[in-house]
Structures are given as structure tokens and as C-alpha cells.
Amino acid sequence: MSTRCVLPPAAATKARTAYNSRRRRWLADPSLAEQDSLTVALHPPSEPQIAEDPDTVVAWVRAWRAYTGAGLVEWATRRWPSFGTQEVPVRLTLAGAGQIASAGGRETEWRALVMRRDALVHGLGPGSPTLSAAVAATAAKWLDLDGDDFVRLTTIARWLSDHPNSGYLIRQLPVPGVDTKWLSRHRGTVESLIDGVRGHRDLGIRSLPNLRDVALCDPDLLIGTPRRFATSLEELAALPLAPARILILENKEGLYALPRLAGTVALHGGGYTVHELAGIPWVVGSEVWYWGDLDSHGFAILDRLRRHLPHVRSLLMDTATLDRWRDLAVREQSPTLNDASHLTASETAALLSLRDGDLRLEQERIPWPYVLERLLAAFGAGR
């Protein structure tokens, strides 16, 4: 029988689809959730369809007579010459978000959402459309939190809302269980909630500075300062330095093993944040060299740096070095295929050779005597 009669499981699927598509709007507007409705047409059969498969039609009617789910099943009288007068279900009407959720098998989830929605909205002060929208937009995040983490979320969001410019470091926040790792995992949710309260995502807190390792290869450049130290980018920029040359490298052990080099300061690159060094005035005004890994990421980092410092030159990132020490290379597990359009012909040739074999040669694998030989030859300086 090819009847279109809708059985209870099919109606539940329609309710679940409506729930999934409307849930966010309901959370943002409780009045809409109360007033919304869903009508599922049950498509009673025609007389020819009954004649074709009466047993199926009887089973359909019985299924709706036995229905105990949410909503109201409406019945209508049909009069057929061959089958007489019959009462058949014609539609299922679901009134409000609760009934739609229940019919779709999402009643427990909806109750949890409403309870947590109310806790967040009421906990963050006077409700507003922007706050309600932010709470609704983050529902998928806070619904999955266990009870303890949800309490932490509501508590830290309220504290940050009440103290918009605390200037605290993360570990100074007076909320048990909220530390650097916790906030790192949930920061996007917290920022969205604060945005709903204040109209911006700034939490008003501080993070520990990202320290860069520094080696004064020429101690005379800054007398009285340790030869090797780590400090923030801001403090680096404020140092009264005027080096002739900057060497940026990614391997910290290599940085600490560098010999004395006249007029030279060595800096740790920081991977894909290397371009931040271009904001330091005495770096911009110096001769700049970059030495990274011989792999796709190393050249991508070099390309990024050269976009900010066009005059940067590379060291030990050429085919001669790769061919000399190819036996020390390993397979690159996760290469980047990003376009590197700011490489020299020699650098491009080395990158293509690496990609041809999916290879990477880490800078620390290159024998140190060879590094020193190439380093001193490039800089034209003695020990």
C-alpha cells in the first residue's frame, strides 16, 4: 500500500527536526518558546487506499488511539460508501516548546537547557536581548559541562561581569577551579557571555607575557646585562640596543650554544609568531638573518617573517645544506602546503626538494661544527 498515513514515529521525527531548528530561538526568547506550536498532518487515507490495504489502515488508526505522547491528536469523521462512517486521526498539534521537545524525544534535554539558561541569564544581571542571544548561541558548549564546570562558568562569568577591568592574572581570579587550563578550554564561551553583557569580548584580565629567549652574542652591546635571558616583547622593544645584526632561530639549545659574535643579538623566533619580532625597532633597523628547520613549516615561517621584514636573509636553509645532510632527515608527518611566495630561488629549490620526499631536517640535527663554519662565513666574524 502506498498510503501517506503518518505514524507516531514519523511524527516524532518531525517534532525532533523542529526542535533542533528552533531550539536556539526558543532559548533566546522564552515567550516565543511558550507561544510556538507545531502541527503535524497525519494524512488519513482515501477510500481506494483503504480498499488496497485495509490491515495497514487499521494498524495506523490503532497506533494513534494508543498514542500517549505529548500534544493533542485531532480526530475527524469520514464517511465512505464501502466502509461506512469511521473516526480517523487527522493531525497532531503540539503547543509550546515543551510539547515539541517531548514529542521529539528531547524533553530531558530541553528541561536541562531551560534550567541552565535561566541560571546564566539571572546570574549575569538584568536580562537583555543581547545577553539572551549570547546564552542561546553558546548552549552547545555549556550544556555539555558537568555540574561543577557549569557552576564555575556561571560564577566566573558573573565575577568578570561585576569586575570589568580587574587587571588580574588568571590564577588570581577568586573562583575555585578556574585556572589557566580551565579558562583556555572555555574562554570562547566566557567571552561570548561577557559580550552579551557588555557588548565586547574583553575579559579585563591579563595573561602572562609570552617570553622570548635572547642571547647577547656581543656582551658589549648591553653592558651589565646577562648574556642570555628571556623577556617579553614589550621589554625587548624598550631595550637600548643598536646591534648590527640579528639572528633569529627556532632551536633554543642552538641559541644558547652560539659563540661570541661582534654586534650580534640572537632571538628565539617563536614559530608562526615570528612576525611579532618585526615590531621591535632595533630589529627592523638591523641586518636580519633567519635560521629555521629545513621543512615545509620552516619555510612557511620564513615566508611570514619576510612579509614583515623584506630584507631578512636565511641561513642553512638551502639545497647545499639539505644535500650535505640528507641522511639525517626524517619524514615530515604533517607538512603544510601553504603558498610561500616570498622565498628566494635557492630557498624555493630546497623546499621543493623537501616536498618531493616529504622530508624534514631539524636544525638541531645538523652537526654543530658545520653550523659554526657556515655561520661565521656568513657573518664574516670571528669567535
Side-chain angles (χ1 to χ4, degrees):
M1 178 181 176
S2 59
T3 181
R4 295 166 55 209
C5 297
V6 175
L7 286 162
T13 298
K14 291 178 182 292
R16 189 159 49 249
T17 299
Y19 169 82
N20 291 335
S21 65
R22 302 180 191 181
R23 185 183 73 172
R24 180 167 172 175
R25 297 197 300 274
W26 293 340
L27 286 171
D29 187 350
S31 63
L32 173 63
E34 292 180 5
Q35 298 166 9
D36 207 352
S37 64
L38 175 68
T39 299
V40 180
L42 304 183
H43 299 295
S46 64
E47 187 173 12
Q49 289 174 325
I50 298 174
E52 179 185 347
D53 192 352
D55 291 341
T56 296
V57 174
V58 169
W60 170 73
V61 173
R62 287 177 177 171
W64 280 110
R65 288 197 183 280
Y67 178 75
T68 58
L72 175 65
V73 180
E74 298 182 44
W75 296 75
T77 301
R78 294 288 190 269
R79 294 177 177 83
W80 293 297
S82 301
F83 300 99
T85 300
Q86 303 289 337
E87 292 291 319
V88 295
V90 294
R91 66 183 60 86
L92 171 66
T93 301
L94 302 167
Q99 284 196 358
I100 298 173
S102 179
R106 295 291 186 267
E107 182 177 13
T108 300
E109 179 183 276
W110 177 243
R111 286 180 178 174
L113 281 165
V114 170
M115 181 181 67
R116 288 193 166 187
R117 185 270 314 277
D118 291 346
L120 284 167
V121 172
H122 297 154
L124 289 174
S128 68
T130 54
L131 174 57
S132 295
V135 170
T138 55
K141 299 293 185 181
W142 48 255
L143 181 62
D144 287 340
L145 298 179
D146 62 28
D148 290 339
D149 272 340
F150 183 73
V151 170
R152 293 184 185 104
L153 176 65
T154 55
T155 306
I156 189 60
R158 180 56 186 263
W159 192 92
L160 291 170
S161 175
D162 291 342
H163 302 82
N165 299 296
S166 71
Y168 280 12
L169 294 169
I170 294 174
R171 288 188 175 273
Q172 292 177 303
L173 295 171
V175 179
V178 173
D179 54 19
T180 305
K181 290 183 179 179
W182 190 95
L183 190 56
S184 176
R185 290 195 303 271
H186 305 294
R187 187 163 191 145
T189 304
V190 175
E191 288 178 341
S192 294
L193 294 174
I194 294 302
D195 189 18
V197 175
R198 297 203 295 261
H200 59 77
R201 299 173 68 87
D202 184 7
L203 302 184
I205 61 176
R206 293 182 297 144
S207 299
L208 289 175
N210 181 18
L211 302 183
R212 298 295 178 115
D213 287 78
V214 183
L216 296 177
C217 298
D218 185 347
D220 294 336
L221 289 172
L222 207 59
I223 297 174
T225 301
R227 187 181 175 200
R228 299 179 180 87
F229 58 94
T231 189
S232 67
L233 287 169
E234 292 76 12
E235 291 181 343
L236 268 180
L239 290 177
L241 281 169
R245 183 183 306 107
I246 302 294
L247 172 61
I248 301 171
L249 63 164
E250 298 297 342
N251 181 261
K252 290 186 179 182
E253 291 183 1
L255 185 145
Y256 276 73
L258 288 170
R260 291 177 66 97
L261 297 166
T264 302
V265 173
L267 300 171
H268 182 243
Y272 281 100
T273 63
V274 68
H275 61 283
E276 294 175 350
L277 297 175
I280 300 175
W282 49 263
V283 171
V284 177
S286 304
E287 175 186 298
V288 181
W289 292 75
Y290 179 77
W291 173 28
D293 291 324
L294 271 165
D295 63 11
S296 65
H297 291 279
F299 282 107
I301 295 169
L302 171 60
D303 182 81
R304 175 172 294 191
L305 179 60
R306 195 169 277 144
R307 290 172 188 265
H308 293 81
L309 293 176
H311 64 286
V312 66
R313 288 187 278 180
S314 64
L315 180 71
L316 295 161
M317 299 181 72
D318 49 42
T319 53
T321 301
L322 176 60
D323 292 342
R324 175 77 178 270
W325 306 108
R326 187 179 291 269
D327 59 323
L328 301 177
V330 297
R331 181 168 296 277
E332 186 171 20
Q333 299 298 326
S334 302
T336 176
L337 300 178
N338 291 344
D339 177 53
S341 59
H342 292 71
L343 302 181
T344 65
S346 175
E347 293 160 356
T348 300
L351 174 59
L352 292 175
S353 182
L354 287 164
R355 283 179 171 168
D356 186 53
D358 286 333
L359 297 178
R360 71 184 307 251
L361 177 58
E362 297 171 296
Q363 59 183 182
E364 61 265 33
R365 299 299 178 189
I366 301 174
W368 194 245
Y370 179 82
V371 171
L372 290 179
E373 176 186 328
R374 291 286 301 274
L375 179 67
L376 299 177
F379 289 4
R383 293 179 182 271

